[in-house]
Amino acid sequence: MTMLAPSAPEASRPQPSPQSLPVNISKSQNINGIHTDILLQCFSDRTFVVITQVGKVGNLLSCSIEESEIDGSKTYNVSTLLGKRDDALLELCARKVAENIYAHEMGQSVGGIGALSLVPPLLLGITLKEGGRDTAAFKEMINLVLELYVQIRPRR
């Protein structure tokens, strides 16, 4: 005799709603002659971006945006969760991705105080080779991330 209840039939098990599942999109492209993979996942509570030139994630950064209740100014908070902590380029990349997503969500206009609730925090996994760390490569990577984001979340 078993103490476990019989398993419920498949039809009666709770199923996640389609809105709760993450949306995924990825793209591979050569940037400065270096194979670069970009993955974007939009969850209900945050956006996850991976930019890698080595096929794995070496650094994980978090970026959130806060808005002043007094004057509506924005502050970008970037923190390194895993990986190299003294790499300003990676922190700049996280901030630029967050800025571009914010601008897209706000439609390039001032959204007013409280509008940041439309922009979820960013989690960025990034690993770059030395040849992929120049200004042109950086701009191209940021533009590719925004291109993918626009495909997943078109302007409202």
Side-chain angles (χ1 to χ4, degrees):
M1 185 161 164
T2 180
M3 297 184 71
L4 298 176
S7 63
E10 283 294 318
S12 66
R13 288 189 182 163
Q15 299 295 318
S17 69
Q19 295 83 7
S20 68
L21 299 174
V23 179
N24 303 306
I25 189 168
S26 62
K27 185 171 188 171
S28 296
Q29 186 163 321
N30 278 333
I31 298 176
N32 280 3
I34 301 170
H35 179 83
T36 305
D37 294 312
I38 297 177
L39 167 73
L40 183 88
Q41 290 183 301
C42 290
F43 294 87
S44 61
D45 65 339
R46 71 187 60 247
T47 301
F48 180 52
V49 176
V50 174
I51 302 172
T52 183
Q53 295 179 328
V54 297
K56 57 185 172 182
V57 175
N59 303 282
L60 193 59
L61 296 97
S62 175
C63 183
S64 60
I65 308 169
E66 294 178 4
E67 189 171 39
S68 169
E69 292 182 15
I70 297 170
D71 63 0
S73 63
K74 290 172 280 310
T75 302
Y76 294 83
N77 298 309
V78 179
S79 59
T80 302
L81 304 175
L82 295 170
K84 196 172 181 183
R85 297 195 178 277
D86 60 349
D87 194 335
L89 179 69
L90 301 182
E91 290 183 6
L92 178 63
C93 187
R95 179 185 167 126
K96 291 303 287 181
V97 169
E99 284 178 352
N100 281 310
I101 288 173
Y102 176 80
H104 173 74
E105 290 294 339
M106 296 299 110
Q108 298 291 354
S109 65
V110 177
I113 294 175
L116 281 177
S117 62
L118 299 174
V119 182
L122 172 72
L123 191 59
L124 174 67
I126 185 166
T127 306
L128 303 175
K129 292 182 176 179
E130 279 305 313
R133 298 177 61 92
D134 66 13
T135 304
F138 176 77
K139 288 180 180 177
E140 191 171 348
M141 284 181 252
I142 300 302
N143 289 336
L144 282 172
V145 170
L146 184 60
E147 176 186 310
L148 294 176
Y149 188 83
V150 168
Q151 289 178 32
I152 289 179
R153 304 209 35 181
R155 231 180 235 154
R156 297 171 197 159

